[in-house]
Amino acid sequence: MFLKKSIILILSIAVLFSCKEKTKESSKPDEVVEQEAMESTDSKVGRENYAIAWKWTTDNKQLVEDNLVVIADEVNQLWKEDIVVDAYYDSNAKIDKFEYFPNVFFFLKAKSEKEASTILNKLTLVKKGIASYQIYPVGLKWMGRDHVEIQEKGITNSYAAVWTSDNWQNTTDSLTKSQADAILELWNEGSIENIYFDIEGTQKANDKTDFVFFINTNTEKEAKELCENLPFAKNNIASFELYSVGVFWLGNFEEFNKNLE
C-alpha cells in the first residue's frame, strides 16, 4: 500500500509539472510582442543559480494532501518561467522522511539571495509551514547532462556533492587543470551531471558554496569514493558534503518543449 501511494503521488506531481500547454496564437501587434520579449530578456539578465534543499516542517499529512495540487501548480509555473530548473526528487529518503511524500531538491534563478528568498516565501509550502528551505549560492551552470551516456549507464541514485574550497590559495594551474580534466571525464561517462560553479566562492574567503555537481551511482559509498579521488579532495583544496536527492526529475522547460517537438 505504501509503495502504491508513493508511485501515485510521484506520478501525479510529475503530470502536473510536465504537461505541455498548447501555445496560443497572439492577437497582439508585433511591436507589442517584441517589446514584451525584450522586457522578459532584461529581467533575466544578471541572474545566478541557487540550490534549494527542502525539509518537511509539518507532521500534518492531511495538510500536505490538501495543498498538493496548489504546491505543484506554483512550482510548475516557476519552472515554465525559467526560474526553477534541474529538479530532483527522492521518494526513499533516509533522512527527514515524511509518510510517502518525496523530498525535492531544485535550482532557482534569481538576481540575489534576497530575491530568491522572496520568491520562495510566496509559495504555499512556506506560507502554510509545510516545509522550510536552505539556500546554497552556486554561481553559474557550467555543464548539464550527457543524456546519451546517462541512458547507457542505466538508472542509478543521484547524490548532490556540495563543495567548499578550504585552501584555494594552495592550488596551482596544474592542479586546477587536473581537477577540470577529471570532472570532464566523469561527465563524459555519465557519472556526474548538472555542474554549477561559483567563481566568487573560490576567490574570496567567504561562506559561499564553490561548486555543486550531481553524482550518478548505486550507493552513497560509491559517490563518496568518486569525490575523494578528485585532485582537489586528495590535495585538501576543497571539501564536500553529500546529499541524497533520489533521481533526476525536471530540467529546463524550454529544452523539455524542444524534446517533445
Side-chain angles (χ1 to χ4, degrees):
M1 184 66 178
F2 172 84
L3 179 59
K4 182 179 180 182
K5 284 187 175 181
S6 180
I7 293 172
I8 290 173
L9 176 68
I10 293 168
L11 289 178
S12 297
I13 299 178
V15 169
L16 285 167
F17 274 62
S18 306
C19 285
K20 179 185 178 184
E21 294 184 345
K22 294 183 179 179
T23 303
K24 297 180 180 179
E25 292 185 5
S26 175
S27 58
K28 300 178 182 178
D30 291 343
E31 60 270 18
V32 174
V33 175
E34 184 177 351
Q35 178 64 28
E36 290 181 348
M38 291 176 62
E39 291 175 354
S40 176
T41 301
D42 290 342
S43 69
K44 296 179 180 179
V45 174
R47 294 189 306 170
E48 292 196 354
N49 297 282
Y50 296 88
I52 312 299
W54 291 90
K55 180 179 180 180
W56 297 106
T57 54
T58 182
D59 57 3
N60 189 336
K61 174 184 170 183
Q62 192 61 48
L63 177 65
V64 179
E65 291 181 340
D66 290 345
N67 290 278
L68 189 59
V69 173
V70 175
I71 292 169
D73 283 343
E74 288 175 346
V75 182
N76 185 31
Q77 186 59 40
L78 292 177
W79 179 55
K80 291 178 179 178
E81 293 173 2
D82 192 38
I83 295 174
V84 164
V85 296
D86 293 337
Y88 291 75
Y89 74 84
D90 187 356
S91 59
N92 295 304
K94 295 180 180 179
I95 301 175
D96 189 36
K97 184 72 177 179
F98 178 43
E99 292 289 339
Y100 50 85
F101 304 108
N103 288 358
V104 176
F105 188 107
F106 61 66
F107 291 85
L108 187 145
K109 297 182 180 181
K111 292 184 178 180
S112 66
E113 188 169 336
K114 181 179 179 180
E115 183 181 74
S117 294
T118 298
I119 294 170
L120 295 170
N121 289 339
K122 292 179 180 179
L123 297 177
T124 298
L125 270 171
V126 179
K127 290 193 298 184
K128 293 196 174 184
I130 296 173
S132 62
Y133 59 83
Q134 177 68 43
I135 299 179
Y136 297 95
V138 291
L140 302 176
K141 187 171 182 176
W142 179 24
M143 303 179 77
R145 307 181 82 230
D146 188 333
H147 295 279
V148 175
E149 290 298 330
I150 290 171
Q151 185 174 1
E152 290 182 359
K153 187 179 182 67
I155 296 176
T156 62
N157 297 314
S158 292
Y159 300 88
V162 180
W163 292 78
T164 303
S165 58
D166 302 312
N167 299 294
W168 184 258
Q169 68 277 8
N170 293 333
T171 192
T172 63
D173 290 344
S174 175
L175 186 56
T176 300
K177 183 179 183 305
S178 296
Q179 172 79 2
D181 289 346
I183 287 179
L184 182 59
E185 183 178 348
L186 290 170
W187 184 85
N188 281 329
E189 65 184 37
S191 294
I192 65 174
E193 63 188 31
N194 289 329
I195 306 168
Y196 289 79
F197 183 73
D198 179 18
I199 188 64
E200 182 180 349
T202 61
Q203 294 180 335
K204 295 182 180 180
N206 58 26
D207 60 356
K208 286 197 172 185
T209 303
D210 295 336
F211 56 97
V212 174
F213 57 70
F214 291 79
I215 307 167
N216 298 318
T217 56
N218 292 313
T219 65
E220 185 173 344
K221 180 181 178 182
E222 292 176 8
K224 183 179 180 181
E225 290 175 350
L226 180 150
C227 291
E228 289 175 339
N229 285 322
L230 287 173
F232 275 10
K234 284 183 174 180
N235 291 274
N236 297 316
I237 300 299
S239 58
F240 63 89
E241 290 185 73
L242 287 178
Y243 298 87
S244 175
V245 293
V247 296
F248 180 74
W249 180 13
L250 293 170
N252 175 278
F253 180 66
E254 184 177 343
E255 292 178 359
F256 174 80
N257 278 336
K258 286 180 180 179
N259 290 334
L260 290 182
E261 292 175 353

